[in-house]
Amino acid sequence: MKTAVIVFPGSNCDRDLAVAFEQATGKKPHMVWHRETELPEGIDLIGVPGGFSYGDYLRSGAMAAQSPVMRAVSDAAGKGTYVLGICNGFQVLTETGLLPGALMRNAGIQFVCRDVKLTVANSQSAFTSHYKADEEILIPVAHHDGNYFADAATLDRLEGEGRVAFRYAEEVNGSARNIAGVLNEGGNVLGMMPHPERMSEAAHGGLDGKKLFDALASA
Amino acid sequence: MNLPKSTHAGIGAAIPISLKDSPAMKARVTITLKNGVLDPQGKAIHHALEGLGFGGVNDVRAGKLIELDLADGTSDADIEEMCKKLLANTVIENYRIERA
């Protein structure tokens, strides 16, 4: 499996994500700068990492969504390439329109940085197939704008179509219906606020995040 | 300085006249959260106002103001597109355009 990690000015989880991709696939990912207009040939999985792309100007992810490389990412997603957006990457994917909804300021106003319990709401996707249905896992979050919002009809549709991948098992940021991660219609794009790449080695204090990368590597 | 206009008549008079004919176009875009969308910042401001003893505030909503300095010929439709594509996230925000 060939992977790529997108790098924006202000990304700060790109190298952690690259390590997680390499551990799962055995190959170093291509690091792709935001000014690129094309992705390398034959990429199977694109990571949109966490951080503070473009200083979170205007809205988190809003400027990155307009960068040249995101057009290439959108085209690839349309052709079925796997796209994983984590934290700021999730915000970028909603701003790009690859995923529905928006991520607003945390309901408690404060930046939340801690390990949180999640429930795997869909264990059938390419991203989550190594988890058991309703499995409770521990993954860290670190965000200011993680409060997932979508209108009631969109939320009903996401739930009805099994597109909620993860839910918070505890109150974290005020997200609608405790949604922590959502899939696109085709099931090949996942956005999530928690950081699985920060729970992928024994030294991280757990391996619950590693299963996501292993699932993708075998997808 | 408040020089009478006649002082400038003569050499260079064409410049102020042409400027007067095409004043800089400005637009002001006000971005607000849609009704029903929780506004934690507004809530915090409301709370702080109450803490200062201002009891008469029923609700606070925080928004954004963006001023655009525009080239001649920028149409209302252009500004509308700017709002939809970038300035506002229409999932959660409304925008209002005022031309000045």
Side-chain angles (χ1 to χ4, degrees), chain A residues 14 20 49 68 129 136 139 151 163 166 190 195 212:
Chain A
D14 44 320
S129 62
E136 197 168 89
I139 307 268
D151 59 48
R163 288 167 56 190
F166 300 103
L190 171 70
H195 287 273
L212 186 144

Side-chain angles (χ1 to χ4, degrees), chain A residues 3-4 6 21 39 43-48 72-73 76-77 81-85:
Chain A
T3 65
I6 308 299
F21 277 3
L39 295 161
I43 294 292
D44 306 294
L45 166 64
I46 303 163
V48 187
V73 171
T81 305
Y82 294 117
V83 180
L84 170 64

Side-chain angles (χ1 to χ4, degrees), chain A residues 80-146:
Chain A
T81 305
Y82 294 117
V83 180
L84 170 64
I86 297 170
C87 199
N88 187 222
F90 185 12
Q91 296 160 344
V92 173
L93 296 181
T94 58
E95 285 282 347
T96 313
L98 282 173
L99 291 172
L103 292 142
M104 305 186 43
R105 183 51 41 102
N106 293 343
I109 315 266
Q110 283 171 335
F111 194 97
V112 180
C113 183
R114 60 182 164 90
D115 293 349
V116 300
K117 282 185 198 146
L118 304 178
T119 311
V120 179
N122 174 345
S123 59
Q124 310 287 311
S125 77
F127 300 86
T128 55
S129 62
H130 283 204
Y131 298 108
K132 291 193 272 301
D134 300 322
E135 184 176 343
E136 197 168 89
I137 59 175
L138 192 70
I139 307 268
V141 296
H143 60 247
H144 211 168
D145 297 319

Side-chain angles (χ1 to χ4, degrees), chain B residues 43-60:
Chain B
K43 271 209 159 62
I45 295 165
H46 190 182
H47 187 72
L49 286 171
E50 283 177 340
L52 287 168
F54 295 105
V57 183
N58 291 326
D59 194 20
V60 179

Side-chain angles (χ1 to χ4, degrees), chain A residues 58-59 66 95 104 109 149, chain B residues 37-38 40 64 86-87 89:
Chain A
L58 192 64
R59 295 176 304 276
Q66 306 302 323
E95 285 282 347
M104 305 186 43
I109 315 266
F149 176 89
Chain B
V37 175
L38 181 76
K64 263 181 225 151
L86 180 65
L87 302 182
N89 179 341

Side-chain angles (χ1 to χ4, degrees), chain A residues 125-209:
Chain A
S125 77
F127 300 86
T128 55
S129 62
H130 283 204
Y131 298 108
K132 291 193 272 301
D134 300 322
E135 184 176 343
E136 197 168 89
I137 59 175
L138 192 70
I139 307 268
V141 296
H143 60 247
H144 211 168
D145 297 319
N147 181 354
Y148 186 73
F149 176 89
D151 59 48
T154 303
L155 293 170
D156 288 345
R157 200 178 70 237
L158 288 174
E159 288 182 331
E161 294 173 356
R163 288 167 56 190
V164 176
F166 300 103
R167 284 184 210 271
Y168 300 107
E170 55 188 288
E171 175 47 39
V172 174
N173 54 24
S175 285
R177 303 186 194 178
N178 287 320
I179 290 172
V182 295
L183 293 155
N184 71 336
E185 211 170 351
N188 64 310
V189 179
L190 171 70
M192 61 190 293
M193 289 311 296
H195 287 273
E197 80 281 16
R198 296 189 190 176
M199 203 55 107
S200 292
E201 295 179 30
H204 292 161
L207 294 166
D208 283 352

